[in-house]
């Protein structure tokens, strides 16, 4: 049985160490009052190391710091939702949900493969669809994606409107193209 573990970024530990050092400076003002302040970054570091979401082919299991973890079988799973803060929630058939620590929108591709396709991956097909596209940005900042053939037509139209002559047009054309017409590479040799 394969499983994938999602946990918060370990870079949070570096942030916790920096917060701890800052809190030590703060505590130095009045130790009797602020002795507890450096404990907050230590709890944050412990949280980073402890919380996680494990996805297997049978279920989603979470582990939290101060409360019991939860498990949802795939038969009960209905959807994966994200709130405005970017937190992921697993929703069951009765609309009950629980937080999935370490799962972000960027981890959807890994989540899809770990769940055996039960959670769809909308990111990868969109990325592969734009791989062969050219982004064209006009003067107003409006951008559009075009495939290479559409871009050639767009560029010819733009040059015609700008009044660029045919000689200048062929010098800017792609290698292997003469005056806008494709020529065989062997014909040039």
């Amino acid at each position: 049985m394969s499983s994938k573990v999602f946990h918060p970024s370990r870079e949070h530990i570096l942030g916790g160490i920096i917060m701890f050092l800052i809190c030590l400076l703060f505590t130095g003002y009045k130790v009797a009052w602020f002795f507890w302040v450096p404990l907050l970054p230590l709890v944050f570091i412990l949280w980073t190391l402890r919380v996680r979401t494990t996805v297997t082919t049978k279920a989603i299991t979470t582990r939290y710091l101060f409360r019991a973890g939860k498990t949802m079988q795939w038969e009960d799973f209905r959807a994966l939702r994200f709130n405005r803060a970017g937190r992921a929630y697993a929703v069951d058939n009765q609309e009950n949900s629980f937080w999935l620590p370490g799962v972000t929108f960027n981890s959807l591709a890994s989540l899809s493969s770990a769940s055996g396709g039960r959670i769809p991956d909308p990111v990868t097909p969109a990325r592969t669809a734009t791989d062969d596209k050219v982004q064209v940005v006009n003067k107003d900042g409006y951008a559009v994606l075009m495939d290479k053939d559409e871009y050639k037509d767009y560029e010819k139209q733009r040059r015609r409107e700008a009044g660029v002559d045919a000689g200048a047009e062929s010098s800017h054309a792609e290698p292997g193209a003469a005056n806008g017409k494709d020529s065989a590479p062997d014909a040039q040799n």
Side-chain angles (χ1 to χ4, degrees), residues 130-137 144-148 151:
T130 61
D131 282 346
D132 295 331
K133 302 279 184 174
V134 177
Q135 182 178 21
V136 178
V137 180
V144 68
L145 289 174
M146 298 180 184
D147 64 16
K148 295 190 189 231
Y151 178 71

Side-chain angles (χ1 to χ4, degrees), residues 148-158 160:
K148 295 190 189 231
D149 293 332
E150 290 173 334
Y151 178 71
K152 284 180 186 177
D153 295 339
Y154 167 79
E155 191 63 25
K156 286 178 188 177
Q157 174 80 17
R158 191 180 69 79
R160 241 182 274 126

